[in-house]
Amino acid sequence: MTTPVLTAKLDALPTTLDLFLAYDAGPLAVSLADGARRHSLSIGSGGSAIAAEYLARCRDTLGLGPTTVQTPMQLVTDYHDLSETDVWLFSASGDNPDAAAASQAVFDRKARKVYLVTRNTDGSAVRIVEGGGGTVHIVPVADPKDGYLATHSLMSSVVALLLACDGASRDPRGAAHLLGSLASRLTEMRDPAHRASIAARLSSLRRSDTVVIAGDSHLRPLSVLLDTSIWEASLCHVQTTDFRNLAHGRHGWLHHRQDETLVFALTGTDTRATWKAINDLLPPSLRRHAVDQRSCGRLDNALAMIDGLGIIEAMGTILGIDPGKPGIGEFGRAIYDDHSLADLAQALPPNVRHKRAAIAKSDSHDPADDPLHLIGRERLRALAEADIGGAVFDYDGTIVTTAGRYSAPDKEIADELIRLHKAGLRIGFATGRGGSAGEELRKILPADMLPSIPIGYYNGGHLRTADVDVDEDRAPADSAITETAAWLNERSDLFLCHSFKHREVQITVDMDKLRYPYRFPVDFEGCAPFAAGLVRIMGSGHSYDIVPAASSKLSVVQAIKAELPVGLEILCFGDSGSRPGNDHALLSHPYGISVGDVCGAANGCWSLFGAGSVGPEALLTILRALLPSDVGRIRVDFGSLGLDR
């Protein structure tokens, strides 16, 4: 016997299968069914990557929705929001640095639901997932130490998913049937005559050969098992593809190296004819080994993985390598135990991921900038240490949601503004709106507050206190705005509905009235006042605002700053912090906080919570954290914000 370690593991697999006679797959079935009609991420590396692929196939057979399979590193280094995505993490031990990194990242990216499938109740990943409100599914194994290749842990994860999917299918075949089928295949795989037969069919294999695994896409779990195991055991070279991708250029390898190549064809009902067409055209001397797995369903894939383990054992026997203990370099354990991915996950809290996404969108990162996590940490430090004397708020998307901008602000927001005013905080508003903003504020704020609140209407173009009705006290007309309105009146080609709002110091164009909304700033370059630098254009969540070049929301900040003692800072809140957004200038300083978009400049606009909490919800959390200090100043109570991980 040349593979004593792997063979012993395979011979003992029935003991793990027996544990499933008493296994309750119900909770796992509920978790699977809960993901219906949603995208899921399935995460694993090494042997767990095989289980991750099997979940994808299981979800596909149940019609639950698309599944993307990734490694932990892909999960950590991606940064888009996962609030509509379920994430499944697979880790046998649940205690390696990459599993911990993935578990941290998935909560930072605000996944809808998080599930961990593991054999270990005490792993670091278990603590992170349970601590974050996720669900841990413990699967039974008879031998918790897999050895070098995943065997018992792989079998356990696959069988658990198979039984759970049967329960979730609403047309179950029954656990007894499924477990009986697996037991029969295990018996066949371990039969000496069968082992000898597989070895005989692969007897021409050499360590210098390349194994080309060309598979049915519905057999990805088996393809990944073979690819992973051949690589990890250093049996020979391996390349994995599907039949038609093989036909698109990869056949060149077969032409130039046919004497050094063995093709593994993994077929099923849908791809037998495809493989036959290719097989009939391949050179007769090219070695090939075909494995057919019928319908490639859940049970077929589970059986295929038992076959795959038998193939790896046979390859090891032929080549004189024990895949269960092939030997590794001294550096191997150090590489496996390296914490760099976990360190990276720690350096990417939600606000840093949010900023990374904005930088990626604009493709604008300056390599001279400090690392983002250091910049983000410094901004938090500056906010934590600031004595705050004032706060300036955008209105739409900040005080009220963009969708609910025609409704009054929530009472909770109003109550916090009143509390902070009584605590001595100077409050102002900077909005793209006209008189409607003041009208709404006069409904919710006490009359004695209003004369002390400056409002910069029309993006700061008309500054009045909140007690003044600007529909009665109108701003003088700006000639550049008047000329711009005339230009727009002549450009009906830009509109689906030729309509816009023209006020003395601002023009507002609703995006849904434009023929090509996102091209409008480019089209606008032909406007003479814009070309001359007399007006500028800014975007919000629903419209474009065209204002005189001198108009700025910062006029409200300056008005409050002039009345504050030296050393007191002004917080600024808005939601349109991207470079063309109408809150960009307001938010791009150390005390600016976005509750929506951020810009692509590392030292520009940032949020506190990332993309997960936005608008009035995020604002309310921050307002509640503004508390009087022991010396009578107002500071941000960071402990109440939930930013510590």
Side-chain angles (χ1 to χ4, degrees), residues 5-14 151-152 186 189-190 195 309-310 313:
V5 175
L6 180 61
T7 298
K9 294 291 183 183
L10 300 186
D11 284 343
L13 283 178
T151 49
H152 285 264
L186 281 172
M189 183 266 287
R190 293 158 44 245
R195 279 171 159 154
L309 290 171
E313 180 190 36

Side-chain angles (χ1 to χ4, degrees), residues 197-433:
S197 172
I198 296 295
R201 276 181 272 171
L202 300 175
S203 60
S204 65
L205 183 67
R206 297 161 300 203
R207 292 198 65 179
S208 58
D209 283 340
T210 295
V211 172
V212 175
I213 302 168
D216 186 314
S217 59
H218 290 157
L219 291 172
R220 281 282 302 166
L222 176 57
S223 293
V224 173
L225 183 151
L226 293 173
D227 183 287
T228 297
S229 301
I230 290 171
W231 269 113
E232 291 187 2
S234 192
L235 298 176
C236 56
H237 310 296
V238 62
Q239 182 187 91
T240 302
T241 186
D242 63 43
F243 293 124
R244 291 312 305 163
N245 199 34
L246 175 68
H248 284 257
R250 295 197 177 199
H251 52 77
W253 184 272
L254 309 184
H255 171 66
H256 291 285
R257 298 175 180 264
Q258 66 178 269
D259 293 337
E260 306 165 39
T261 304
L262 170 63
V263 175
F264 266 94
L266 312 181
T267 65
T269 303
D270 294 334
T271 52
R272 289 171 191 150
T274 302
W275 167 240
K276 183 179 185 305
I278 293 172
N279 187 43
D280 289 346
L281 295 172
L282 291 175
S285 62
L286 178 68
R287 290 168 292 164
R288 64 266 271 173
H289 180 71
V291 177
D292 191 278
Q293 297 296 340
R294 305 187 303 173
S295 70
C296 305
R298 297 187 298 272
L299 177 58
D300 289 331
N301 265 278
L303 297 172
M305 282 185 273
I306 295 174
D307 295 342
L309 290 171
I311 290 171
I312 295 301
E313 180 190 36
M315 293 176 68
T317 298
I318 294 162
L319 298 173
I321 298 171
D322 188 345
K325 194 174 183 180
I328 60 173
E330 293 182 3
F331 58 85
R333 174 56 62 181
I335 291 174
Y336 180 81
D337 290 337
D338 177 67
H339 281 73
S340 58
L341 189 64
D343 294 342
L344 177 60
Q346 285 293 324
L348 293 174
N351 66 324
V352 176
R353 290 183 179 278
H354 194 207
K355 174 59 77 169
R356 283 191 68 194
I359 290 172
K361 188 174 182 179
S362 64
D363 204 21
S364 62
H365 185 62
D366 183 348
D369 288 329
D370 290 331
L372 284 179
H373 70 280
L374 296 181
I375 296 173
R377 189 181 305 163
E378 175 59 24
R379 291 181 71 92
L380 294 181
R381 185 200 62 77
L383 283 169
E385 295 179 358
D387 289 322
I388 301 162
V392 175
F393 303 90
D394 168 53
Y395 197 84
D396 291 349
T398 303
I399 294 292
V400 295
T401 65
T402 299
R405 61 188 181 275
Y406 299 118
S407 302
D410 288 344
K411 183 178 183 299
E412 291 175 307
I413 295 280
D415 288 345
E416 287 302 313
L417 294 176
I418 294 168
R419 175 185 70 83
L420 290 168
H421 172 75
K422 290 179 179 178
L425 188 75
R426 292 296 311 276
I427 291 172
F429 294 88
T431 176
R433 285 199 191 198

Side-chain angles (χ1 to χ4, degrees), residues 320-563:
I321 298 171
D322 188 345
K325 194 174 183 180
I328 60 173
E330 293 182 3
F331 58 85
R333 174 56 62 181
I335 291 174
Y336 180 81
D337 290 337
D338 177 67
H339 281 73
S340 58
L341 189 64
D343 294 342
L344 177 60
Q346 285 293 324
L348 293 174
N351 66 324
V352 176
R353 290 183 179 278
H354 194 207
K355 174 59 77 169
R356 283 191 68 194
I359 290 172
K361 188 174 182 179
S362 64
D363 204 21
S364 62
H365 185 62
D366 183 348
D369 288 329
D370 290 331
L372 284 179
H373 70 280
L374 296 181
I375 296 173
R377 189 181 305 163
E378 175 59 24
R379 291 181 71 92
L380 294 181
R381 185 200 62 77
L383 283 169
E385 295 179 358
D387 289 322
I388 301 162
V392 175
F393 303 90
D394 168 53
Y395 197 84
D396 291 349
T398 303
I399 294 292
V400 295
T401 65
T402 299
R405 61 188 181 275
Y406 299 118
S407 302
D410 288 344
K411 183 178 183 299
E412 291 175 307
I413 295 280
D415 288 345
E416 287 302 313
L417 294 176
I418 294 168
R419 175 185 70 83
L420 290 168
H421 172 75
K422 290 179 179 178
L425 188 75
R426 292 296 311 276
I427 291 172
F429 294 88
T431 176
R433 285 199 191 198
S436 62
E439 183 179 344
E440 293 296 337
L441 289 171
R442 287 191 287 274
K443 293 177 182 177
I444 64 167
L445 298 178
D448 61 351
M449 274 183 66
L450 301 176
S452 66
I453 298 176
I455 302 179
Y457 296 97
Y458 304 121
N459 288 290
H462 189 38
L463 186 63
R464 293 292 185 270
T465 53
D467 58 321
V468 175
D469 184 349
V470 295
D471 289 332
E472 301 295 331
D473 182 6
R474 306 178 74 90
D478 184 272
S479 59
I481 290 294
T482 302
E483 184 180 350
T484 299
W487 181 85
L488 287 172
N489 278 323
E490 295 174 357
R491 293 298 305 270
S492 60
D493 59 302
L494 299 179
F495 295 84
L496 290 172
C497 175
H498 197 180
S499 172
F500 57 88
K501 297 175 183 176
H502 175 201
R503 299 291 186 266
E504 291 82 356
V505 291
Q506 181 169 285
I507 295 169
T508 300
V509 182
D510 291 337
M511 290 184 182
D512 60 7
K513 302 288 180 63
L514 292 166
R515 190 177 302 278
Y516 304 110
Y518 296 104
R519 203 181 74 185
F520 182 69
V522 176
D523 295 331
F524 191 65
E525 291 175 0
C527 176
F530 178 78
L534 300 176
V535 300
R536 55 192 178 89
I537 184 171
M538 301 174 294
S540 65
H542 54 88
S543 65
Y544 289 106
D545 293 331
I546 303 166
V547 299
S551 293
S552 174
K553 288 188 174 184
L554 291 173
S555 62
V556 183
V557 178
Q558 293 161 359
I560 292 179
K561 190 78 171 176
E563 298 182 2

